[in-house]
Every structure is written in C-alpha cells, then in structure tokens.
C-alpha cells in the first residue's frame, strides 16, 4: 500500500514538472475607470455641478478655460484638462488679470480637470470635481503672453523655485512669487493652496506674511516645488459636493515642523505604497450617468 502511495505521489510530481511552472495570477486591472473618464472628450450638458470629493468625484456642465487670457497662458493642452466648475474658470481669469495689473509676471496654468472630471490615468488623485488648478510659481524664461504655439505649450515645463534636495530656493525665486501667492490665497472662493513646505516656512517666518489673513490657506505638501495647487470651496450650486475639513490652524509652528522630520519622509513612502496597492476609487452614484451621456 505504501509503495502504491509513493508511486502515485511521484507520478503527480512528474506530471506537474512536465506541465511547467504554474501560470502567474492575473494582475489586477488598473486605470480602467480612469480611462473611461479620460475618454469623455467634451463636457456634459446640464447645469454646472461639482459632485463628491476632490479625489472621488466628477463634474457636470463644465466650463472651458480659454488657452490664452489677460495675464495667463495654459500649457499642455493635449492633456485635455482645462475644464472646471465656472467658479474655477472665473478664479483663474481673475488671478491672471490681477497678476497683470500688479506686474507679477505671466501666470502659467497647468491642469484643471478633465471635461467631466473624474479620476485621471496619470498625474493626480484629486482634480476630479472641477475645483482644483495647478499654477506655476513663475513663467519659463522668454515666454510671452499670446505668443505661444500649440506645440510650444506642450513642451513647456514648470519652473522649479525650490531645490527638493537642499530645500533652498533656486535662482528662479523672486519676491513677486510671494505677492502672487498672496493674491491667489486672498480670493474668497479659495479653500486652501498646497505649496512646498520650504515655501510655507519662509512665509511663516517673514514678518510681512507671518500673520497675513490668508496664511492659514497655504498648506505644506510634498513636492509642489514648481507649482502651487489651488483648491476652491464647494460651490453653493452643488449640493452633492463634499467639502474638505477646514484647516485646524495656520499651518506654522508644530504643524510645519513635522514636514522637516523623518516621520514625513516615512509617511510619504507609506502613502505611495498604499496608493499603488489601492483599488480604483468608487465614485458617487450620481457620476455614473456622466460616462454614458454623449453630451
């Protein structure tokens, strides 16, 4: 009996070896939902509505930001991310016009949202409800208003004003950047603006800005060395928009010190790993119809 069992076991091993190694488990499908939203090339019809949270949401009835306007230029049009709630489009246009009046330089505008919001295949976890915009701290050298070809817009890269290794300013840093941030953060529709921790530290320590009424709206966040990220408040016309909890303090002091410690570095590593392993977000039920509409 024992001999028969051993023979059967050996036979099983031989069969398995002949069949080769087991087939690898199929990889989880990633980006399927994001690609569905990317495929929506035009805004939907209907009144403007920001739905859900900035990282789990969508946008109905988006407005389009013109590629050029008084005081600003939009880059990387091929990404098709210059759409937003009308509040956001109005905000960017006010910022550009205000910067021009104050002679702060040309405002370079990066990503807003996709035509119907939703998750993007690359670049962001937020920017989903038409309430987020990436704005350059400074325009690349030689760039002039209304003198950018579509090809040139695709090649432009934001100018780094903070060295991520040393946390010091680069030669591109100018005092006008402080004035631009003050202008951007002073608009009452702004909820918060994400900046590099080194920039937040400078503004917390400078007597002229330490107690500025807009100081609490500037929040330190990883990277953001070449652009700042504006996030608006939920619009009054969007009852399904989910607001973010208000900042607990002005972002200086102990809150800011954390960003310069080892815990911040470890937290970023964990955050990246968690995001890579996380399934695609489930969006609000009200978003489903927006990927089914032709218009």
């Amino acid at each position: 009996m024992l001999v028969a069992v051993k023979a059967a076991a050996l036979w099983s091993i031989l069969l398995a070896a002949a069949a080769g190694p087991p087939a690898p488990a199929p990889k989880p499908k990633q980006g399927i939902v994001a690609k569905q939203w990317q495929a929506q090339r035009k805004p939907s019809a209907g009144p403007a509505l920001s739905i859900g949270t900035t990282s789990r949401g969508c946008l109905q009835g988006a407005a389009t930001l013109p590629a050029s306007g008084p005081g600003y230029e939009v880059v990387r049009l091929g990404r098709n991310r210059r759409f937003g709630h009308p509040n956001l489009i109005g905000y960017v246009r006010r910022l550009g016009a205000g910067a021009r009046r104050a002679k702060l330089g040309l405002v370079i505008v990066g990503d807003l949202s996709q035509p119907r919001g939703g998750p993007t295949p690359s670049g962001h976890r937020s920017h989903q409800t038409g309430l987020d915009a990436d704005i350059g701290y400074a325009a690349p050298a030689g760039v002039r208003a209304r003198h950018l070809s579509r090809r040139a817009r695709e090649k432009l890269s934001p100018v780094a004003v903070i060295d991520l290794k040393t946390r010091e300013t680069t030669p591109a840093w100018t005092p006008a950047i402080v004035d631009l941030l003050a202008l951007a953060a002073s608009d009452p529709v702004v909820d918060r603006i994400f900046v590099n921790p080194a920039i937040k530290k400078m503004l917390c320590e400078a007597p002229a800005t330490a107690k500025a009424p807009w100081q609490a709206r500037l929040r330190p966040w990883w990277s953001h060395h070449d652009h700042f990220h504006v996030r608006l408040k939920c619009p009054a016309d969007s009852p399904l928009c989910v607001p973010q909890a208000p900042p607990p303090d002005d972002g200086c002091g102990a809150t800011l010190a954390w960003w310069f410690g080892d815990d911040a570095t470890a937290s970023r590593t964990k955050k990246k790993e968690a995001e890579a392993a996380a399934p695609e977000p489930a969006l609000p039920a009200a978003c489903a119809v927006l990927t089914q509409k032709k218009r």
Side-chain angles (χ1 to χ4, degrees):
M1 181 67 177
L2 183 59
V3 173
V5 171
K6 288 183 177 180
L10 178 60
W11 180 245
S12 297
I13 293 172
L14 291 174
L15 285 176
K27 294 182 179 180
K29 293 181 179 179
Q30 296 294 325
I32 302 300
V33 175
K35 288 177 181 177
Q36 289 175 347
W37 287 92
Q38 183 187 43
Q40 311 304 314
R41 305 303 293 173
K42 297 179 180 180
S44 69
L49 290 173
S50 293
I51 301 169
T53 69
T54 57
S55 57
R56 290 183 182 232
C58 57
L59 174 65
Q60 176 183 284
T64 306
L65 181 66
S68 295
Y72 78 86
E73 295 289 338
V74 183
V75 298
R76 294 175 292 184
L77 301 181
R79 290 161 72 91
N80 204 34
R81 299 178 185 176
R82 57 187 176 113
F83 304 88
H85 186 280
N87 283 14
L88 182 65
I89 304 306
Y91 169 81
V92 173
R93 300 187 80 158
R94 287 195 301 277
L95 180 63
R100 187 173 72 166
R101 286 194 301 270
K103 298 182 180 180
L104 300 179
L106 185 65
V107 172
I108 299 299
V109 183
D111 286 355
L112 275 63
S113 290
Q114 298 178 131
R116 303 186 188 190
T120 62
S122 63
H124 308 283
R125 287 183 69 83
S126 59
H127 288 252
Q128 295 190 28
T129 57
L131 300 175
D132 295 86
D134 288 340
I135 309 291
Y137 291 110
V143 173
R144 294 187 299 154
R146 300 188 183 278
H147 285 79
L148 279 177
S149 67
R150 190 177 184 93
R151 184 175 182 180
R153 292 176 194 274
E154 298 303 320
K155 292 184 177 181
L156 279 181
S157 297
V159 178
V161 299
I162 294 293
D163 185 312
L164 289 179
K165 291 183 178 179
T166 65
R167 293 176 173 169
E168 299 292 333
T169 56
T170 72
W173 178 267
T174 68
I177 294 172
V178 177
D179 294 332
L180 179 61
L181 287 170
L183 179 65
S186 296
D187 195 301
V189 300
V190 171
D191 182 64
R192 65 196 70 205
I193 295 178
F194 299 103
V195 299
N196 184 272
I199 293 175
K200 178 67 176 179
K201 184 172 185 290
M202 285 190 290
L203 297 178
C204 286
E205 294 176 347
T209 55
K211 299 299 182 181
W214 43 261
Q215 180 67 261
R217 290 181 175 176
L218 298 185
R219 312 307 298 181
W221 200 252
W222 291 286
S223 297
H224 291 85
H225 58 300
D226 53 10
H227 74 277
F228 56 96
H229 175 168
V230 179
R231 176 167 296 160
L232 303 192
K233 299 172 183 175
C234 278
D237 62 10
S238 299
L240 297 180
C241 180
V242 180
Q244 192 169 351
D249 52 30
D250 65 1
C252 301
T255 298
L256 179 60
W258 180 87
W259 288 93
F260 295 88
D262 293 338
D263 192 33
T265 303
S267 293
R268 187 180 190 190
T269 300
K270 292 178 182 178
K271 183 174 182 292
K272 286 184 175 181
E273 291 173 350
E275 289 177 352
E280 291 191 84
L283 302 185
C287 292
V289 67
L290 297 183
T291 56
Q292 299 166 6
K293 290 181 179 179
K294 295 295 182 182
R295 272 286 299 163

